Amino acid sequence: MIREAILLYLIMIIGRSEFLLGTALIQRPIIVGPLVGLIFGDLQTGMIMGATMELAFIGAVSIGAYIPPDMLSGTVLGVAFAITSGRGPEAALTLGMPIATLMLALRSVIGEPIKVGLAHLADKHVAEGNYRMFTTDVIIFPLLIEMVIALVVPFAYYFGSDAVTNALSVLPEFVITGIEIATGLLPALGFAMLAQMIMNKRVAPFFFFGFFLVSYFADSGLTTTGVAIFAFIIAAIMYYSDDKKSVTESTVIEDEGYVLDEF
């Protein structure tokens, strides 16, 4: 169990290194889930649970003042507890969601105030021309803070895995059924959050077109992969059509300008 806790901590550190690597998306559940599965020797289950949690967190993107739940710690602990207890993706979601919310609160209370102080310190070092300390302020110190906060995950797994496993084993059947129903609703909530950000009158027809294609032609063998291929072809046609239209409009404007110059 100590080995698993250490490896889970390493996954947390890798995920928290997102700000060092750019937007690599390595902290997403679809990446973290299989890694956790590898630790417990069950890659397939880790992939399934990670993909299921990705659907729930698909709209969890920080925009403006909105800070989404800490999906990294929620995925790591949720998938770890679910695999060790022998439960399915519904258990990973049920455990992962509250864990993600609690870790967000912990990071907001402890980590963010310190980072605000570091930001002011970085401004001071830039004004003084001390760029070596500026690098430390914006890279080294934030990484150390994340490493300290990430310790919550391995400790929570080491001391809480048995309790969570026992609690899940004594849950009544109707509770498990309710969890499975909630699991089916959470991906819809994730898609709704994503649609709220990108949906407009130009995108909506294509969204419903793909949905009804899968709904009505699923029996004919059409899958979401097939719809994605058709969508790519349609997008390519629209892109090159718009590009050609832009060139034509530009030519017309230049021609009209030439005629006007003659006058």
Side-chain angles (χ1 to χ4, degrees):
M1 184 174 290
I2 295 179
R3 182 185 71 89
E4 286 81 1
I6 294 174
L7 291 176
L8 292 179
Y9 179 66
L10 291 178
I11 292 178
M12 289 293 299
I13 297 303
I14 294 173
R16 289 285 178 252
S17 301
E18 175 79 5
F19 65 93
L20 294 175
L21 304 174
T23 308
L25 300 180
I26 55 177
Q27 86 284 10
R28 300 297 303 189
I30 199 169
I31 304 297
V32 176
L35 294 178
V36 177
L38 278 175
I39 291 176
F40 294 95
D42 195 345
L43 175 62
Q44 182 177 0
T45 301
M47 293 178 65
I48 294 173
M49 292 184 178
T52 303
M53 297 193 72
E54 179 69 31
L55 290 175
F57 283 110
I58 196 170
V61 180
S62 179
I63 298 178
Y66 171 70
I67 303 177
D70 187 5
M71 57 186 166
L72 176 60
S73 56
T75 302
V76 170
L77 283 177
V79 174
F81 285 150
I83 291 179
T84 54
S85 64
R87 298 289 184 177
E90 64 277 0
L93 272 175
T94 304
L95 295 168
M97 282 295 186
I99 290 171
T101 304
L102 290 174
M103 283 297 294
L104 171 62
L106 180 63
R107 293 182 64 203
S108 300
V109 171
I110 298 177
E112 298 308 321
I114 298 176
K115 290 181 181 179
V116 171
L118 288 175
H120 292 296
L121 190 61
D123 292 337
K124 176 177 178 293
H125 288 147
V126 168
E128 296 173 350
N130 191 345
Y131 298 109
R132 184 183 298 274
M133 283 304 301
F134 171 76
T135 303
T136 304
D137 295 335
V138 298
I139 296 180
I140 305 300
F141 285 157
L143 181 60
L144 292 176
I145 293 171
E146 295 293 351
M147 291 176 66
V148 172
I149 298 176
L151 285 171
V152 174
V153 170
F155 278 106
Y157 170 74
Y158 183 78
F159 292 105
S161 59
D162 292 338
V164 172
T165 301
N166 294 332
L168 288 175
S169 63
V170 299
L171 285 178
E173 187 64 31
F174 72 90
V175 174
I176 300 298
T177 303
I179 291 174
E180 292 176 353
I181 295 174
T183 303
L185 294 176
L186 285 173
L189 177 62
F191 275 111
M193 294 169 61
L194 180 64
Q196 187 178 16
M197 294 185 291
I198 67 173
M199 191 67 71
N200 55 46
K201 62 183 180 181
R202 295 190 64 184
V203 174
F206 295 100
F207 173 81
F208 290 106
F209 178 69
F211 174 78
F212 287 113
L213 272 180
V214 175
S215 299
Y216 284 96
F217 295 99
D219 295 336
S220 302
L222 182 64
T223 63
T224 53
T225 302
V227 173
I229 294 173
F230 285 121
F232 176 79
I233 295 173
I234 294 173
I237 294 173
M238 293 181 63
Y239 174 79
Y240 289 111
S241 297
D242 290 342
D243 187 53
K244 184 177 180 180
K245 182 180 178 181
S246 299
V247 173
T248 304
E249 291 177 350
S250 176
T251 304
V252 170
I253 292 174
E254 290 177 0
D255 291 342
E256 289 178 352
Y258 177 78
V259 173
L260 291 174
D261 289 342
E262 286 295 314
F263 284 105

